[in-house]
Amino acid sequence: MGIRFSLHLYFPVSRLECVLNEIIKLTEPPSEGRMSIWLPNGKKVVVPHTMKLVPDKSRRRITIGSNLLSFDTVLLLSLDSVIEEYLRRIHLQPLDRTKKYGVGLLAVSIQTGENYAEVSISAVSSSQNEIMLKSPVMHGTMSSLIKDCDGVFALIDTETGNGFYERLLLADTSKVLSIDVVESNYGEDIDYIVTTAQKQLAI
């Protein structure tokens, strides 16, 4: 199956509405459907998705310390050399640098702790790995999302490490953070991940 790189963005739980609304602005108009998500503050956000089966309402509610909630969508991004190289294999006609293009199906996943939420953007196909790892436009878009919604930081997961999650800091990919898999309850303890990363970054 191979490695699938992903981006992990961390926000206060109270800022999830902002995050989802900003992601909606980046998405291609849905061809298949929309899904209502209920937030911990009781508000509802309707997101575009490409799933054929929509989870029932009990699985579309984000609560503090909730299990994973996810949906698939397509982000529209401007071209850079990495995205252009990916799209050349798909588009038969020349690409227009003044336009934005869908970079293929991406999985958006949300997990919450008591204080923080993790929003992950994951590559569905290994052909998208270079976009997740190296695209300046993708990284800039995610950095803007962090800034606009009072995020803490963003990490790139390269699926490496023995007993640890080794993730690159999006803002400075020369910095590698190491997070104990067991102590983080295999990625389920979002607050632990945030506080461990903050200590390593001395935030």
Side-chain angles (χ1 to χ4, degrees):
M1 185 165 170
I3 292 173
R4 301 286 185 269
F5 293 168
S6 54
L7 303 174
H8 300 266
L9 290 69
Y10 297 89
F11 303 87
V13 171
S14 61
R15 298 299 285 157
L16 276 175
E17 183 178 6
C18 174
V19 176
L20 286 172
N21 283 326
E22 290 301 312
I23 288 175
I24 290 167
K25 293 177 186 177
L26 298 170
T27 57
E28 194 170 51
S31 59
E32 296 187 33
R34 293 180 178 271
M35 181 172 74
S36 296
I37 295 176
W38 283 264
L39 302 173
N41 63 6
K43 292 187 178 180
K44 179 179 75 172
V45 178
V46 180
V47 299
H49 71 85
T50 60
M51 293 183 293
K52 292 182 179 178
L53 296 176
V54 180
D56 61 53
K57 288 187 178 181
S58 66
R59 297 186 61 196
R60 288 185 274 154
R61 188 175 300 276
I62 299 174
T63 57
I64 302 302
S66 70
N67 293 325
L68 185 70
L69 181 147
S70 63
F71 60 96
D72 295 337
T73 196
V74 176
L75 298 186
L76 289 174
L77 299 175
S78 301
L79 294 179
D80 59 27
S81 59
V82 177
I83 292 174
E84 190 168 7
E85 179 63 29
Y86 166 76
L87 291 174
R88 276 184 184 153
R89 297 189 289 261
I90 301 169
H91 291 265
L92 299 178
Q93 297 178 344
L95 299 171
D96 184 345
R97 283 197 160 266
T98 65
K99 294 183 178 180
K100 293 186 177 183
Y101 290 88
V103 293
L105 197 63
L106 296 170
V108 179
S109 304
I110 301 169
Q111 283 184 282
T112 58
E114 291 292 325
N115 302 301
Y116 296 101
E118 177 187 78
V119 178
S120 301
I121 313 289
S122 302
V124 175
S125 166
S126 60
S127 63
Q128 297 167 307
N129 275 349
E130 291 294 297
I131 293 174
M132 308 305 283
L133 186 63
K134 297 180 180 178
S135 166
V137 168
M138 174 64 91
H139 291 184
T141 301
M142 295 300 107
S143 295
S144 293
L145 185 56
I146 287 285
K147 180 180 178 182
D148 293 344
C149 297
D150 305 316
V152 187
F153 50 77
L155 305 176
I156 305 172
D157 186 357
T158 57
E159 294 190 12
T160 59
N162 297 314
F164 290 86
Y165 289 114
E166 292 182 359
R167 294 178 174 175
L168 310 178
L169 182 67
L170 182 66
D172 180 359
T173 55
S174 67
K175 292 184 179 178
V176 181
L177 286 80
S178 186
I179 299 166
D180 190 292
V181 171
V182 175
E183 289 295 326
S184 68
N185 193 23
Y186 296 90
E188 297 286 328
D189 190 340
I190 304 306
D191 289 353
Y192 174 82
I193 292 173
V194 172
T195 55
T196 300
Q198 286 176 321
K199 289 176 183 176
Q200 293 181 38
L201 295 169
I203 293 177

